[in-house]
Amino acid sequence: MTVPPARRRRLRTWAPSLDGANLHPVLASEAETVAGPALVDLASNDYLGLSRHPAVIAAAEDELRRSGVGAGGSRLVTGSRPVHDRLETALARWLQRDRVFLFPSGFQANLAAVLALANRHTTVLADRLIHHSLLVGVQASGAQLKRFAHNDLDALRQTLEACRSQRPDAALVVISESLFSMEGTSPDVPALAALCKTYSARLLLDEAHALGVLGLGGRGLGLGVEGIALISGTFGKAFGSGGAFLACDREQADALLQTSGAFRYTTALAPPLAAAALAALDLLTTHPCWGSDLVKQSHLWRDRLAAQGWARPAGLGPILPLLVGEDQPALEYQQRLEAAGVLTVAIRPPTVPEKTARLRLVLHRGQSDQALHALETSLGPGPLRS
C-alpha cells in the first residue's frame, strides 16, 4: 500500500449536525473538547435536506421499534423484512424498471454491478472519471479495462469501433455516471445508450448523485432510456438515508439473485434505513419539482460566481466545482471560508487529476441568499476578474 506524501495526508473529521442545516467539523480526536460556531453546509450530499425531514425520521423510528436496528442476516436467510419488499417495489415503479435489489452501501452495489456484467473475458470501457468503487469492481472482475476521455462520446465510439474490429464477438461493457461527483458534469445519456446499442455493449449507469435531483421528477437521467443494463443508485445522498440499490430488467435480476455474492452473502440493509428511504421516496413522489427547483437555484449560483470572476462551474446540477489548481491555495480557500462560517471542502489529487485541486460546493434545497452572499464575500474576486 502506497502512503501519500505528508502534504496530502487525510484526517477523519467529526461533523455533528446542530440544526439540520449547519455543521461543525472538527478532528475526530478533538470531538469531545472542541466547540465552535455552526457552519453553513456547502459540503454534504444531502441535496434535499431529507436526512432531517420529520417524515423520514418518523419512518425510521417506527421501523426501529418494529424490526430492531439490524436485519440480522442476509436477504436469503433471515434478513428480509416487509419494508425491503415495499421499497424495492416502489423504486422499480418509480424508475420504470422491472426489479430492484437493495445493498448496504453504494460501494458494495457498484462492485456487484460490475461483477454482474463483466468477467475475465470482458472488455470494459470506462469514463476516465468514474468512481473508485467501479474501478475496484473492474479489477475484481478480471476484465480488460480501457478508459475514454470524460464524457467524450466520439472517443468512446472510436474505442468501441476498434474493439469490435479486433474481436467481433467480444463481450463489451461501458461504465459511466449520470452526474459526476467531483466534476458536476453529465453525459448525454440517451446518446450514450444508443452508442452502446450500436456496438452491442452493455451499459452500467451510476445514478448515485443524480437521483432525487436530475431528470423528470428527480428520477435520474436514465429514466425511459432503452439499452441500460444496470442502474446503480444510493440512499445516502438526496434520499437522506443510507444504503443503495441496483435496478434492472427481469433477466438481469434473476442472474443477480442467483450469482451475486455481494447480494447473497451480506447482512441486509438495516430496516430503519430502508424505511427512511421509502419515506424519502414518498416525499420525492409528492414533490416532483424539488429537484428542478434546486437545478434552477444552481444556475443562479453559477451566474453569480462567474460574475465575480470565477470560471463558471461546469454542469447543471447542485455540485459546483471551483477550480483552483494547486493543493495549497485550495486548502487556504477552505480555511478562509470556514473562518467565515461556510463549510466546503478542498478536493485534491488523487481524488481529482493533478493540477485540478478545487473547492467542491454543494447546494441544498432552500439554501438561503445569505449563504450565497457569505460565500461571495469570503471568496472575494475570482482570478478571471481583471
Side-chain angles (χ1 to χ4, degrees):
M1 180 180 297
T2 302
V3 177
R7 64 190 177 88
R8 286 185 177 161
R9 295 291 296 272
R10 268 61 169 178
L11 296 173
R12 292 182 301 144
T13 58
W14 181 70
S17 176
L18 298 181
D19 63 11
N22 297 336
L23 299 173
H24 173 218
V26 297
L27 293 181
S29 59
E30 302 172 339
E32 297 181 0
T33 61
V34 176
L39 302 179
V40 175
D41 178 14
L42 289 181
S44 80
N45 295 322
D46 188 13
Y47 302 120
L48 302 178
L50 296 186
S51 68
R52 303 284 299 182
H53 194 285
V56 175
I57 293 173
E61 289 176 339
D62 290 344
E63 191 64 34
L64 178 66
R65 286 188 287 268
R66 183 181 301 112
S67 299
V69 177
S74 76
R75 293 290 299 280
L76 301 187
V77 184
T78 61
S80 283
R81 300 289 188 277
V83 70
H84 293 131
D85 292 332
R86 292 199 302 272
L87 177 56
E88 287 174 335
T89 300
L91 268 174
R93 185 184 307 116
W94 191 61
L95 295 172
Q96 299 178 7
R97 298 283 160 175
D98 293 337
R99 290 288 304 277
V100 163
F101 289 87
L102 303 180
F103 289 82
S105 75
F107 203 106
Q108 187 171 349
N110 275 348
L111 285 177
V114 178
L115 291 172
L117 299 178
N119 57 39
R120 62 189 180 88
H121 303 294
T122 306
T123 298
V124 170
L125 293 77
D127 187 291
R128 186 165 294 281
L129 299 182
I130 60 169
H131 193 268
H132 179 65
S133 58
L134 294 164
L135 293 174
V136 173
V138 175
Q139 184 179 33
S141 74
Q144 180 184 15
L145 175 63
K146 294 181 180 292
R147 312 286 286 273
F148 62 91
H150 178 53
N151 285 341
D152 189 336
L153 297 190
D154 288 335
L156 174 59
R157 184 190 304 276
Q158 294 172 16
T159 307
L160 285 167
E161 179 67 35
C163 289
R164 278 284 168 249
S165 297
Q166 295 166 8
R167 295 177 56 198
D169 298 326
L172 302 179
V173 170
V174 173
I175 303 177
S176 187
E177 302 179 23
S178 58
L179 177 57
F180 284 81
S181 63
M182 296 299 149
E183 304 298 316
T185 52
S186 300
D188 182 339
V189 174
L192 174 64
L195 185 59
C196 291
K197 184 176 181 180
T198 297
Y199 289 93
S200 299
R202 307 188 75 187
L203 175 60
L204 165 56
L205 186 67
D206 183 345
E207 293 250 52
H209 288 271
L211 289 172
V213 178
L214 299 184
L216 181 65
R219 291 184 285 175
L221 298 183
L223 180 70
V225 177
E226 295 184 2
I228 302 176
L230 275 174
I231 286 176
S232 67
T234 65
F235 304 125
K237 297 175 175 60
F239 279 70
S241 180
F245 67 89
L246 296 179
C248 55
D249 62 20
R250 287 185 178 82
E251 182 179 355
Q252 186 62 60
D254 185 63
L256 272 168
L257 181 62
Q258 302 305 324
T259 65
S260 177
F263 177 78
R264 291 160 59 90
Y265 303 125
T266 188
T267 299
L269 177 65
L273 292 178
L278 185 57
L281 180 57
D282 289 340
L283 289 167
L284 289 169
T285 302
T286 55
H287 299 86
C289 292
W290 275 356
S292 58
D293 288 346
L294 185 57
V295 169
K296 292 176 183 177
Q297 184 182 359
S298 77
H299 291 327
L300 170 64
W301 282 57
R302 285 179 165 86
D303 289 343
R304 292 272 288 269
L305 289 167
Q308 192 159 325
W310 293 89
R312 183 181 177 85
L316 301 173
I319 302 169
L320 283 67
L322 280 186
L323 293 180
V324 176
E326 298 295 337
D327 293 19
Q328 190 57 38
L331 289 169
E332 290 170 359
Y333 272 116
Q334 175 185 323
Q335 293 162 2
R336 181 194 302 180
L337 288 169
E338 185 171 334
V342 177
L343 175 64
T344 187
V345 177
I347 305 297
R348 299 169 287 155
T351 303
V352 294
E354 291 288 344
K355 307 295 184 181
T356 67
R358 66 201 62 188
L359 294 176
R360 181 180 184 264
L361 307 177
V362 184
L363 303 192
H364 302 91
R365 181 173 63 92
Q367 205 103 53
S368 68
D369 289 338
Q370 289 84 352
L372 176 55
H373 179 70
L375 176 68
E376 290 177 316
T377 302
S378 304
L379 281 173
L384 301 182
R385 177 175 287 182
S386 56

